[in-house]
C-alpha cells in the first residue's frame, strides 16, 4: 500500500488521530464533528444545519449526535435569554469533555454570543408579565384532620353502622329469606324430569344445541310441571307449540326452554261424567265442553299424533283413520306370513 500526501498550504484543519480513528464513532458522526471543527471561530451554524449541508439524513443525524454526546465531543443545554426566549446552546470540542467541564465553558458564554459555542433558537415564548401577589401571607394547605361538615348526606357509600338488636334481627331475617328452600320434589320426578330434559334436543332441530350446563335448571323447571300433574306428553307438546313456526333460527335454545317452562300452566280438568255439565263456552280450537282442553299445536304439526309404540324419542305421525301406532310400529306388529 503506497500513500502520497501533500500538506495543504491554506484552508486546512488540524485533527487528532483520536477523532479520525475513533472505534465507536460512525462515519456520519466523524463527518459531523470534523465539519463543525473546520468552521471559523465566529460561526453560529447548529448541528442540524451541518447535517443538511453534509447530506446526512434525519435518522443518521440523530444516531450520530447521540454518539458524539455519549463520547463527550458534543454538549448542549437549554437556557432562557432576554425577553423570555429559550435557546439550545451547543458546545462542540475537539477533545472529550466531562459534563462539569462543559458546564463551566457554557456558563462563560452568554446566550447568542460566540466563543466556542453555537446556539439554535427554538419555538419562542411570550415574556412573562408582571404578577400580582395574593393578599395575605402564604399558607400551606391542610394535609390532615377531618372535614368540618359531615359528608354522609352527599355520598351513597355510607360506612356500616355498628350492630345493634334491631340490626341483628333484620340480618337474621334476611339470612333466613336468602337461604334456599329444600327441594320438595320427589326423587322419581327428578329422574323423570332429567330424562325428559335429555330428550329436549331431539324434539326439534331448533333445540339441538341446548347447552348442557342448563340441564340442571331445566330439570328443576320440568319437575315443577310434572309435580303439578302434567304428563310428559303435555310438556313436550307445550314446548313444540312455543317453537317458531316460520322456520326462523333459534339462537339461544336454552333460554327459550327456560322461558317456556318458567310458568307452570294449570292442569286441564278431567270430566267425571256425574250429572249434566253446565253450559259453558266452547274452548279455543272448536272443541266441545265435554272434551278436555288440549294445547293448540302449530300449523305445521296440525293433525299429528304421538305414536304409542316403543321409540327412543317421541315420534309424531299423521293417522289415516284412528290408529295409535305409526307405520313402522304397525309393520313390526304384523306377524310375517
Amino acid at each position: 500500500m503506497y500513500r502520497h500526501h501533500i500538506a495543504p498550504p491554506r484552508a486546512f484543519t488540524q485533527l487528532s488521530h483520536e477523532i479520525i480513528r475513533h472505534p465507536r464513532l460512525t462515519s456520519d458522526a466523524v463527518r459531523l464533528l470534523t465539519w463543525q471543527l473546520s468552521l471559523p471561530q465566529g460561526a453560529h451554524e447548529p448541528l442540524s444545519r451541518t447535517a443538511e449541508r453534509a447530506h446526512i439524513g434525519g435518522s443518521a443525524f440523530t444516531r450520530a449526535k447521540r454518539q458524539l454526546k455519549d463520547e463527550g465531543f458534543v454538549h448542549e443545554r437549554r437556557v432562557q435569554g432576554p425577553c423570555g426566549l429559550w435557546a439550545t446552546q451547543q458546545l462542540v470540542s475537539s477533545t472529550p469533555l466531562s459534563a462539569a467541564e462543559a458546564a463551566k465553558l457554557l456558563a462563560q458564554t452568554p446566550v447568542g454570543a460566540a466563543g466556542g459555542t453555537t446556539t439554535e433558537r427554538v419555538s419562542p415564548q411570550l415574556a412573562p408579565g408582571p404578577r400580582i401577589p395574593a393578599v395575605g401571607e402564604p399558607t400551606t394547605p391542610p394535609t390532615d384532620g377531618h372535614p368540618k361538615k359531615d359528608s354522609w348526606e352527599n355520598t351513597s357509600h355510607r360506612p356500616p353502622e355498628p350492630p345493634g338488636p334491631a340490626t341483628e334481627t333484620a340480618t337474621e331475617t334476611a339470612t333466613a329469606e336468602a337461604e334456599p328452600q329444600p327441594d320438595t320434589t320427589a326423587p322419581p320426578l327428578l329422574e323423570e324430569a332429567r330424562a325428559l330434559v335429555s330428550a329436549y334436543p331431539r324434539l326439534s332441530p331448533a333445540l339441538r344445541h341446548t347447552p348442557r350446563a342448563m340441564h340442571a335448571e331445566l330439570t328443576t323447571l320440568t319437575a315443577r310441571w310434572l309435580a303439578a300433574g302434567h304428563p310428559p306428553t303435555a310438556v313436550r307438546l307445550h314446548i313444540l307449540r312455543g317453537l317458531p313456526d316460520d322456520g326462523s333460527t333459534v339462537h339461544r335454545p336454552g333460554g327459550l326452554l327456560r322461558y317456556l317452562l318458567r310458568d307452570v300452566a294449570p292442569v286441564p280438568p278431567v270430566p267425571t261424567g256425574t250429572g249434566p255439565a253446565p253450559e259453558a263456552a266452547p274452548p279455543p280450537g272448536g272443541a266441545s265442553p265435554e272434551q278436555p282442553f288440549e294445547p293448540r299445536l302449530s300449523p305445521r304439526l296440525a293433525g299429528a299424533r304421538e305414536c304409542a309404540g316403543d321409540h327412543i324419542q317421541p315420534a309424531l305421525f299423521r293417522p289415516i283413520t284412528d290408529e295409535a301406532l305409526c307405520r313402522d310400529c304397525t309393520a313390526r306388529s304384523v306377524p310375517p306370513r
Side-chain angles (χ1 to χ4, degrees):
M1 174 67 68
Y2 298 94
R3 298 177 181 86
H4 179 67
H5 178 71
I6 300 177
R10 59 183 180 84
F12 64 91
T13 303
Q14 294 183 354
L15 298 173
S16 64
H17 293 170
E18 182 183 3
I19 295 178
I20 301 176
R21 304 173 184 175
H22 201 287
R24 291 181 298 275
L25 293 180
T26 61
S27 60
D28 292 332
V30 174
R31 181 171 174 79
L32 189 63
L33 179 59
T34 55
W35 192 302
Q36 278 285 333
L37 294 177
S38 66
L39 295 176
Q41 184 66 22
H44 292 75
E45 180 176 313
L47 292 175
S48 58
R49 174 57 182 164
T50 302
E52 293 178 3
R53 295 176 59 188
H55 301 287
I56 300 176
S59 300
F61 166 67
T62 303
R63 182 167 53 252
K65 182 179 177 182
R66 183 174 63 250
Q67 293 177 358
L68 293 175
K69 294 177 66 175
D70 294 342
E71 297 299 329
F73 291 101
V74 173
H75 296 270
E76 63 181 4
R77 67 171 182 175
R78 291 198 55 174
V79 293
Q80 189 175 18
C83 300
L85 299 179
W86 287 87
T88 300
Q89 201 173 38
Q90 297 175 339
L91 171 64
V92 180
S93 61
S94 60
T95 58
L97 300 177
S98 63
E101 295 173 346
K104 292 181 181 180
L105 293 176
L106 290 173
Q108 299 174 5
T109 305
V111 179
T117 63
T118 59
T119 58
E120 180 180 2
R121 292 184 58 181
V122 295
S123 300
Q125 299 180 0
L126 295 178
R131 303 183 61 181
I132 302 176
V135 179
E137 296 295 331
T139 58
T140 57
T143 58
D144 56 356
H146 298 278
K148 297 181 180 180
K149 184 179 179 181
D150 189 4
S151 60
W152 286 9
E153 60 185 22
N154 298 328
T155 178
S156 60
H157 303 283
R158 303 185 61 177
E161 299 181 356
T167 306
E168 294 178 356
T169 304
T171 304
E172 293 177 359
T173 304
T175 304
E177 293 178 355
E179 291 181 355
Q181 300 295 332
D183 191 2
T184 57
T185 308
L189 289 182
L190 287 177
E191 294 297 333
E192 187 178 1
R194 189 174 295 108
L196 193 58
V197 170
S198 301
Y200 284 163
R202 297 190 293 268
L203 288 178
S204 173
L207 305 177
R208 185 176 304 167
H209 300 289
T210 303
R212 300 189 64 87
M214 297 186 63
H215 281 197
E217 181 182 2
L218 296 178
T219 300
T220 304
L221 297 176
T222 305
R224 293 172 50 197
W225 281 70
L226 298 179
H230 292 277
T233 305
V235 178
R236 287 193 290 263
L237 291 178
H238 174 72
I239 293 176
L240 291 175
R241 185 183 61 177
L243 296 179
D245 53 359
D246 55 353
S248 57
T249 305
V250 178
H251 298 282
R252 293 178 177 82
L256 178 60
L257 289 174
R258 178 173 53 192
Y259 172 76
L260 295 176
L261 299 174
R262 182 176 57 185
D263 299 329
V264 181
V267 181
V270 180
T272 57
T274 57
E279 188 70 20
S288 60
E290 290 80 5
Q291 297 177 353
F293 171 73
E294 294 183 359
R296 183 177 59 85
L297 298 179
S298 60
R300 62 189 181 91
L301 296 177
R305 177 185 299 179
E306 184 177 358
C307 179
D310 187 10
H311 290 273
I312 300 178
Q313 62 181 7
L316 299 178
F317 73 101
R318 286 183 172 84
I320 299 177
T321 56
D322 197 16
E323 62 270 17
L325 299 177
C326 63
R327 182 176 56 184
D328 298 337
C329 293
T330 304
R332 286 196 301 267
S333 61
V334 176
R337 295 182 181 179

